[in-house]
Amino acid sequence: MTGVPASAAGGSGAKPVRGGKLGTAAVNQASLWNIANILTMLRLLLVPVFVLLLLHNGGDDPVWRAFAWAAFAVAMITDVFDGHLARTYNLVTDFGKIADPIADKAIMGAALICLSSLGDLPWWITGVILARELGITLMRFWVIRHAVIPASRGGKIKTLAQGTAAGMYVLVLTGPLATMRFWVMMAAVVLTVATGLDYVRQAVVLRRRGLATERAAAGHAGVAGGSHVAGGADIASGSDVVGATGDARTTADARGAAEAER
């Protein structure tokens, strides 16, 4: 024993973990430059690259559109891997929580808007998908004080369907494949609307539950505060009674002394 506390020696007092896994996870969690965040930043950088490739030569060159599809495919793949790596190896950071959904919506929004501007995709489809994504994002902030809306299996399938359909529209397809991509996009739109409505339901339920919990906590706090006030009043009134009794006794003693002197 050295007599020096763990905190003074630079330690936390916690028992070391074999293999240093806990220390490694803590360092990775605190580090901005981990593999999950690097993949997210790569996806953000791919957005302008994808747009330039897709719109090159007026957006009619099949070769450049194939390059654009490759950039889009890499971006969508990184979307799968960065989240998996962050959860598996405890690489979740505040930057990742903010940048990851922004990168997801940026690459998909860029694809839909560019395709609609080129006349390949109806604007109403782009409007429905973007309105849903923006609305759900705002709704998450609406209920974040009460709870976090988890990503559902339907939402993941929706993302896969959107990415597949948008990728098929980026490529110059003809014949049966061109017909198939339309129906894939329709399926993506249906999933987009259905999962959006489910998120709305979850948000309303979570908000009501959170508000009910807050009201119940406030009620308990009020009852506890009232009990303390009542107890203080009882003590104060008891003190007044004792004081009044003491004053009466003092007055009676004074009168008795005066009468004895007489």
Side-chain angles (χ1 to χ4, degrees):
M1 294 181 63
T2 62
V4 180
S7 58
S12 61
K15 295 181 179 179
V17 180
R18 295 180 181 178
K21 293 183 179 180
L22 180 60
T24 302
V27 171
N28 289 335
Q29 185 177 14
S31 174
L32 175 65
W33 296 101
N34 61 61
I35 184 62
N37 285 346
I38 291 174
L39 290 176
T40 299
M41 287 185 278
L42 174 63
R43 190 159 72 258
L44 284 170
L45 293 175
L46 282 173
V47 174
V49 174
F50 163 75
V51 172
L52 291 175
L53 291 173
L54 180 59
L55 299 181
H56 188 73
N57 286 340
D60 297 326
D61 192 330
V63 175
W64 286 100
R65 291 188 69 145
F67 290 150
W69 177 87
F72 182 79
V74 170
M76 298 304 294
I77 291 173
T78 61
D79 180 27
V80 176
F81 280 101
D82 63 356
H84 175 73
L85 290 172
R87 291 186 298 270
T88 302
Y89 296 102
N90 195 22
L91 302 177
V92 178
T93 63
D94 291 337
F95 171 80
K97 293 177 183 177
I98 297 173
D100 183 68
I102 291 176
D104 297 344
K105 292 171 176 56
I107 188 67
M108 183 58 65
L112 296 174
I113 291 174
C114 288
L115 290 171
S116 293
S117 65
L118 292 172
D120 296 333
L121 187 68
W123 275 106
W124 71 267
I125 294 178
T126 298
V128 168
I129 294 177
L130 293 184
R132 184 269 190 196
E133 299 299 337
L134 178 60
I136 295 303
T137 300
L138 295 176
M139 187 162 295
R140 287 181 184 276
F141 285 107
W142 182 55
V143 300
I144 196 170
R145 185 167 64 91
H146 305 288
V148 176
I149 303 177
S152 64
R153 184 179 299 273
K156 296 177 181 179
I157 296 175
K158 177 269 304 179
T159 301
L160 177 61
Q162 286 182 357
T164 303
M168 294 179 71
Y169 270 89
V170 170
L171 291 171
V172 179
L173 300 178
T174 58
L177 290 178
T179 303
M180 181 185 298
R181 72 181 180 182
F182 171 79
W183 292 110
V184 174
M185 181 60 76
M186 289 299 98
V189 170
V190 171
L191 287 171
T192 298
V193 175
T195 56
L197 294 175
D198 183 61
Y199 277 126
V200 171
R201 180 191 61 80
Q202 292 185 55
V204 172
V205 171
L206 290 174
R207 182 173 173 81
R208 287 179 178 176
R209 189 178 301 166
L211 291 174
T213 302
E214 289 181 356
R215 284 194 294 266
H220 288 307
V223 171
S227 300
H228 288 309
V229 171
D234 291 340
I235 293 173
S237 61
S239 301
D240 292 338
V241 171
V242 172
T245 303
D247 293 340
R249 289 178 178 175
T250 302
T251 303
D253 292 341
R255 288 179 180 176
E259 290 177 354
E261 289 179 359
R262 288 177 185 176

